[in-house]
Amino acid sequence: MTADSTQELTGDDLAFNVFARACPSRGTLEHVTGKWGSLTLGALYDASFRFNELRRRVDGVSEKMLSQTLQALERDGLIHREAQLTNPPRVDYELTPLGRAVAERLLGLIHLVESRMPEVLAARESYDETRGGR
């Protein structure tokens, strides 16, 4: 199958190619690697959270954006939403086994970026000096 083919396959024969325009893995990759998706998955790695706890943990995310992010990640099978019929209603979010595997890899990338920030900041400064600043 070539990168731009749209051949339909089913079951175990399904081959995914994120570089192909019509591949459904692109949407999932976007959900996982977007700013709020990656931060949400990372935040849920150590514990389950209620909505407002998660919103506080992912500093800066709006209620609307967190809601949309959680829905997309739940639809992709990365997050489990547990609603309890209490008064007031209680909803908890936690990673599924798939979400845990994805979050583990994301956290590796997050930790790499955090640990290399002095190099990044130096590169930015050098870039800005040679191009007239920002």
Side-chain angles (χ1 to χ4, degrees):
M1 184 186 318
T2 63
D4 57 343
S5 71
T6 56
Q7 180 180 17
E8 286 190 41
L9 301 172
T10 59
D12 293 335
D13 298 328
L14 196 55
F16 297 100
N17 178 353
V18 76
F19 296 102
R21 181 183 333 176
C23 185
S25 64
R26 263 195 194 186
T28 301
L29 185 64
E30 185 178 327
H31 298 155
V32 167
T33 60
K35 176 169 62 173
W36 302 122
S38 59
L39 292 173
T40 300
L41 289 168
L44 287 168
Y45 187 75
D46 290 326
S48 65
F49 286 102
R50 295 174 72 178
F51 185 87
N52 285 325
E53 292 171 328
L54 188 56
R55 187 164 169 228
R56 284 189 295 276
R57 175 84 170 107
V58 182
D59 191 26
V61 67
S62 70
E63 187 173 320
K64 178 182 177 183
M65 188 52 62
L66 181 57
S67 180
Q68 289 174 352
T69 299
L70 288 167
Q71 287 174 3
L73 295 173
E74 182 182 9
R75 183 171 184 252
D76 287 340
L78 302 172
I79 288 179
H80 174 71
R81 179 183 184 273
E82 180 75 31
Q84 298 175 16
L85 300 175
T86 59
N87 192 7
R90 177 185 173 112
V91 180
D92 292 294
Y93 296 91
E94 65 182 349
L95 295 176
T96 63
L98 174 60
R100 190 157 196 73
V102 170
E104 190 172 295
R105 284 155 180 83
L106 277 172
L107 286 171
L109 178 60
I110 288 168
H111 294 142
L112 173 66
V113 169
E114 288 174 338
S115 71
R116 304 296 287 266
M117 279 311 295
E119 293 170 68
V120 171
L121 295 174
R124 287 180 183 174
E125 186 176 327
S126 175
Y127 180 93
D128 290 347
E129 285 174 6
T130 61
R131 296 197 173 55
R134 249 188 125 186

